[in-house]
Amino acid sequence: TEKLRVPESLTFDDVLLRPMESRVEPDDADVSTRVSKNVELNIPILSAAMDTVTESGMAIGMAREGGLGVLHRNMNAEQMVREIERVKRADELVIRREDVVTANPGQTISEVDEMMERAGVSGAPVVDDDDVVLGIISGTDIRPYLEVGESDEVGEAMTDEVITAERDVTARDALELMYDHKIERVPIVDDDSRLVGLVTMQGILQRREHENAARDDDGRLVCGVAVGPFDDERAQMADDAGVDVIFIDCAHAHNLNVIDTARDIKESVEADVVVGNVGTREAAAELVDFADGIKVGIGPGSICTTRVVSGSGMPQISAVAEVADVAADYDIPVIADGGIRYSGDAIKAVAAGADAVMLGSYFAGTDEAPGRVITMNGKKYKQYRGMGSVGAMQSGGADRYLKEDNEDEEYVPEGVEAATPYKGSLASELHQLVGGMQSGMGYVGAETISGVKERARFVRVSAAGQTEGHPHDVMITDEAPNYSPS
Ligand code: RVP
């Protein structure tokens, strides 16, 4: 019957990239991309908006490596704002007034010594009651006073010829000032010599360490945040806090009520608005007139039970290809979310049409993910749970699944709670992930992410081909950093 004449749909293991003529050396492949209309990344990677994956620690780590962390939403709105601010301020050139540790001239040397030690700083601007900068006190100033002059006052010990700069100072100018005057910190002052911020040598060096970082126009790290499908108030708060991308976070964004709210949110915020998740061309068509990005994935996640619970879903390669087909005509970036286990899966998603990929389980075991390391049978793990699991829904995310919060806790979950092997640093995981994607770009002869989208072709893999593709007929003795048998 007509009902049973169904289209075939494919996922990662069903396909491989056809090797093609190439002059691309993997190390030279350019992996920069767009995650949404106005936000660019230096690597095409996002960490999932899940409460066991992305809080500010992960988001800072992701952005420093060139990607984007999307903060989860199982926290209250005030916490969300604080988390966004943590990310946006992490690598700021000018430390803001409220975060600058200051001394006053009447404090004693021992008080100020203790204060700097507690705050973990090696120097502090000295200000009067009106915040006017009078001097700078540093470890070098204090040292001669220790033991014999500990009750002397800061006003006496401080360096009172202060080199200051204005708010719009550049890193280069600040460095020059520090070099000329052999100093390590420059207070930023307003026209009345009042303290408005501080630039430190340490801060500048830290920024230099992350030269591939993804930054906004003001040089701050980029940050994403998930908000509930009907939560326009939170979207507004996130926008005011300076977030770069707001992700309307829903398991089924082809719900027309969700789309109505998403459209309203888009009209009221400055940040880019990415809408998801969807998995079909029909859904994409509803979003292209307003969304700055579309996120794809109905049921591919490692902890996701949507397909078995609801009987609905779309194998991920087909889902990405369908959505990308529609989005391409409107120049809207597509993000492939979920189901990526290996770097090869990530570059296959790009070949199917994604501009960037989002991963949960891949990062949940790293130091930067929230939660502690657990040891079971001598092996180390970290907790990883679906946002549709009972535990996560109880913590506030039920509306992602278009379900009401309920008191009696009788949720119908669409995810499980699990553990994932402990993996160490995020940077080394990303190194493997991105390096593997670049290998793929070498095999298909594409120098850029958009080149992969255009040029790459798939071949179909049989069950025998699938077996052939993994290590076989051997016993692995030393596990590779980018492969473990699933
Ligand atoms: P994975 O990388 O395969 O672990 O998948 C992560 C993705 O799974 C998330 O970005 C999200 O889209 C989806 N997810 C999160 N929770 C659940 C669930 O409980 N079903 N699914």
Side-chain angles (χ1 to χ4, degrees):
T1 72
E2 187 60 31
K3 266 256 144 102
L4 295 180
R5 237 172 271 136
V6 288
E8 183 177 57
S9 60
L10 304 172
T11 190
F12 299 107
D13 281 350
D14 294 318
V15 294
L16 279 170
L17 299 174
R18 187 180 175 85
M20 294 165 86
E21 186 178 275
S22 175
R23 279 190 195 279
V24 178
E25 310 304 340
D27 287 345
D28 298 334
D30 173 3
V31 288
S32 64
T33 192
R34 278 185 322 163
V35 67
S36 56
K37 276 191 181 159
N38 305 296
V39 177
E40 287 172 12
L41 302 180
N42 293 323
I43 59 172
I45 315 287
L46 287 73
S47 66
M50 301 172 71
D51 60 8
T52 48
V53 181
T54 309
E55 290 181 353
S56 52
M58 175 67 72
I60 291 169
M62 286 296 299
R64 283 185 175 157
E65 297 296 324
L68 180 76
V70 183
L71 299 167
H72 72 83
R73 59 190 181 85
N74 274 2
M75 57 179 102
N76 66 40
E78 289 70 35
Q79 282 170 318
M80 172 197 74
V81 167
R82 262 204 308 279
E83 288 285 283
I84 293 171
E85 287 173 350
R86 279 203 185 119
V87 182
K88 298 306 293 181
R89 291 181 186 181
D91 281 0
E92 241 179 0
L93 176 65
V94 178
I95 305 168
R96 291 169 195 225
R97 173 64 190 97
E98 60 263 38
D99 297 329
V100 178
V101 179
T102 55
N104 66 62
Q107 266 175 311
T108 65
I109 295 294
S110 66
E111 278 168 0
V112 111
D113 188 38
E114 208 177 283
M115 177 192 82
M116 294 196 324
E117 161 116 38
R118 222 179 317 122
V121 299
S122 58
V126 182
V127 294
D128 68 11
D129 292 344
D130 291 326
D131 240 10
V132 172
V133 179
L134 306 171
I136 273 224
I137 185 95
S138 71
T140 325
D141 300 321
I142 289 178
R143 234 162 278 143
Y145 290 79
L146 290 178
E147 304 239 349
V148 289
E150 287 199 324
S151 54
D152 288 8
E153 292 190 349
V154 166
E156 189 181 318
M158 71 185 185
T159 304
D160 49 14
E161 271 174 39
V162 210
I163 309 300
T164 59
E166 288 180 7
R167 217 185 288 249
D168 55 359
V169 69
T170 63
R172 175 85 217 164
D173 292 346
L175 276 177
E176 238 162 60
L177 277 177
M178 292 181 197
Y179 174 79
D180 287 347
H181 300 276
K182 305 280 177 286
I183 50 176
E184 298 225 337
R185 51 187 69 71
V186 177
I188 305 296
V189 293
D190 65 12
D191 294 343
D192 302 320
S193 296
R194 268 196 281 260
L195 185 72
V196 292
L198 183 72
V199 179
T200 68
M201 175 74 83
Q202 200 195 2
I204 294 182
L205 293 181
Q206 202 170 356
R207 277 160 63 99
R208 290 215 163 167
E209 245 176 67
H210 308 290
E211 52 182 29
N212 201 38
R215 299 185 187 280
D216 64 19
D217 292 341
D218 299 324
R220 302 180 302 169
L221 297 175
V222 294
C223 180
V225 69
V227 303
F230 305 112
D231 210 341
D232 41 353
E233 206 175 304
R234 239 169 121 113
Q236 200 58 57
M237 287 174 78
D239 195 45
D240 294 342
V243 84
D244 300 272
V245 194
I246 294 171
F247 289 75
I248 308 296
D249 184 42
C250 182
H252 181 40
H254 198 181
N255 177 300
L256 297 179
N257 302 321
V258 171
I259 294 176
D260 288 346
T261 320
R263 188 180 274 114
D264 290 347
I265 289 176
K266 165 66 196 164
E267 264 164 31
S268 70
V269 297
E270 266 175 45
D272 273 8
V273 175
V274 171
V275 187
N277 280 7
V278 296
T280 61
R281 69 179 74 250
E282 301 81 52
E286 297 286 339
L287 304 176
V288 284
D289 69 299
F290 74 96
D292 296 310
I294 303 179
K295 193 150 69 69
V296 181
I298 308 287
S302 58
I303 33 49
C304 183
T305 54
T306 292
R307 293 184 191 168
V308 278
V309 170
S310 74
S312 175
M314 268 295 266
Q316 184 71 338
I317 287 289
S318 292
V320 171
E322 279 203 17
V323 171
D325 238 2
V326 179
D329 291 340
Y330 298 81
D331 198 29
I332 298 176
V334 170
I335 300 153
D337 172 18
I340 291 171
R341 304 147 302 169
Y342 302 109
S343 47
D345 295 342
I347 198 69
K348 286 176 192 177
V350 174
D355 296 83
V357 293
M358 177 179 264
L359 301 88
S361 78
Y362 201 93
F363 299 133
T366 63
D367 294 322
E368 282 78 354
R372 58 189 180 85
V373 177
I374 349 170
T375 309
M376 289 190 293
N377 296 326
K379 282 199 158 178
K380 291 177 169 176
Y381 300 87
K382 283 189 91 162
Q383 188 200 17
Y384 180 48
R385 66 180 186 187
M387 292 301 274
S389 65
V390 171
M393 288 220 257
Q394 280 166 352
S395 308
D399 59 343
R400 183 172 200 269
Y401 297 86
L402 302 167
K403 307 216 168 123
E404 314 242 321
D405 283 339
N406 68 41
E407 299 271 288
D408 58 14
E409 297 177 1
E410 278 243 44
Y411 285 110
V412 180
E414 291 185 26
V416 296
E417 302 186 51
T420 182
Y422 169 68
K423 285 182 169 173
S425 87
L426 171 68
S428 70
E429 285 306 296
L430 280 172
H431 175 75
Q432 294 299 333
L433 180 60
V434 173
M437 293 178 79
Q438 288 176 306
S439 293
M441 294 168 79
Y443 281 105
V444 300
E447 252 163 0
T448 60
I449 292 295
S450 55
V452 176
K453 287 173 60 173
E454 270 162 40
R455 190 176 148 88
R457 293 288 171 271
F458 289 116
V459 292
R460 191 60 210 277
V461 179
S462 65
Q466 159 72 3
T467 311
E468 184 184 63
H470 283 258
H472 53 83
D473 303 304
V474 293
M475 206 171 80
I476 296 178
T477 52
D478 292 287
E479 266 184 33
N482 55 358
Y483 182 82
S484 51
S486 44

